[in-house]
Amino acid sequence: MSIGLTALRPALHDDAEALATIHEDAWRSTYRGIIDGLELERMISRRGPKWWRTALSRGVQIQILEVAGIPAGYATWGRSRMRELPFEGEIYELYVRPDHQGLGFGSELFTATRAALARARLDGLAIRVLKDNDEAVRFYQRRGGQVLMTSRERVAQTTLDLTVFGWFAEERF
């Protein structure tokens, strides 16, 4: 799908370098101060181009956002991993390069990914967000996400609080 200077499309194997760069830039910008610096760098280093090529080879669904022909964001999505919730779909990750944030590109990517979930007949949507990631919490609240529950996840020596947002199947975007 193309929208003026932006395009949204499924990721290709050739996108592995760009995905790694977007991931690295977005994670450093987003999680600095939330996740311990050394652990954050370890987590980022595990997601290089080889990791992305493997993910694509295994069929991981990845939506790429391009701005003026250059990858500027991505979302990964598929069947919900939270079986206890009444949602079939989940957006696992949604990141936009820091220099492209606040310009509406995240909204375009979110909407396109919800449409991809609907085309895959995955009704309803759940998203897990670090509770201390204030920008992401506000982003999903503004898009009508309902807080369903909180949980905790252990990352190295730190336990992080998560907020789970949901959108029921009858909600149309």
Side-chain angles (χ1 to χ4, degrees):
M1 175 166 78
S2 181
I3 307 166
L5 289 176
T6 64
L8 297 152
R9 62 171 176 78
L12 306 169
H13 286 278
D14 291 346
D15 293 316
E17 289 279 343
L19 288 163
T21 299
I22 295 165
H23 176 266
E24 180 177 342
D25 293 347
W27 273 51
R28 278 203 183 100
S29 173
T30 301
Y31 299 122
R32 184 176 290 131
I34 297 175
I35 298 174
D36 172 74
L38 185 57
E39 184 57 29
L40 177 60
E41 290 304 314
R42 283 188 195 127
M43 293 169 77
I44 290 169
S45 71
R46 292 182 197 127
R47 288 282 203 91
K50 182 179 177 184
W51 188 95
W52 289 101
R53 279 190 287 278
T54 300
L56 287 161
S57 293
R58 291 183 176 162
V60 172
Q61 298 296 317
I62 305 171
Q63 185 85 10
I64 291 272
L65 164 77
E66 289 183 336
V67 177
I70 299 169
Y74 73 88
T76 61
W77 60 275
R79 185 163 297 282
S80 177
R81 300 168 292 183
M82 297 172 274
R83 303 285 186 220
E84 69 278 10
L85 298 176
F87 305 101
E88 294 177 356
E90 181 178 352
I91 294 178
Y92 309 130
E93 299 178 278
L94 190 152
Y95 292 104
V96 175
R97 284 188 4 214
D99 60 340
H100 284 69
Q101 292 176 6
L103 302 172
F105 297 125
S107 295
E108 287 184 36
L109 187 54
F110 176 76
T111 300
T113 305
R114 282 196 73 183
L117 284 160
R119 284 191 303 277
R121 300 190 189 284
L122 296 173
D123 292 331
L125 167 63
I127 298 175
R128 298 180 327 148
V129 179
L130 287 181
K131 182 180 175 188
D132 291 338
N133 183 351
D134 295 332
E135 288 295 318
V137 168
R138 282 191 298 274
F139 178 85
Y140 293 118
Q141 286 173 332
R142 286 192 306 264
R143 273 136 203 90
Q146 298 177 31
V147 175
L148 304 171
M149 61 186 273
T150 58
S151 64
R152 304 188 88 178
E153 187 168 304
R154 186 97 172 136
V155 177
Q157 304 302 315
T158 306
T159 300
L160 300 169
D161 293 319
L162 297 168
T163 300
V164 180
F165 287 94
W167 291 259
F168 290 92
E170 64 273 4
E171 296 176 23
R172 291 295 157 216
F173 47 93

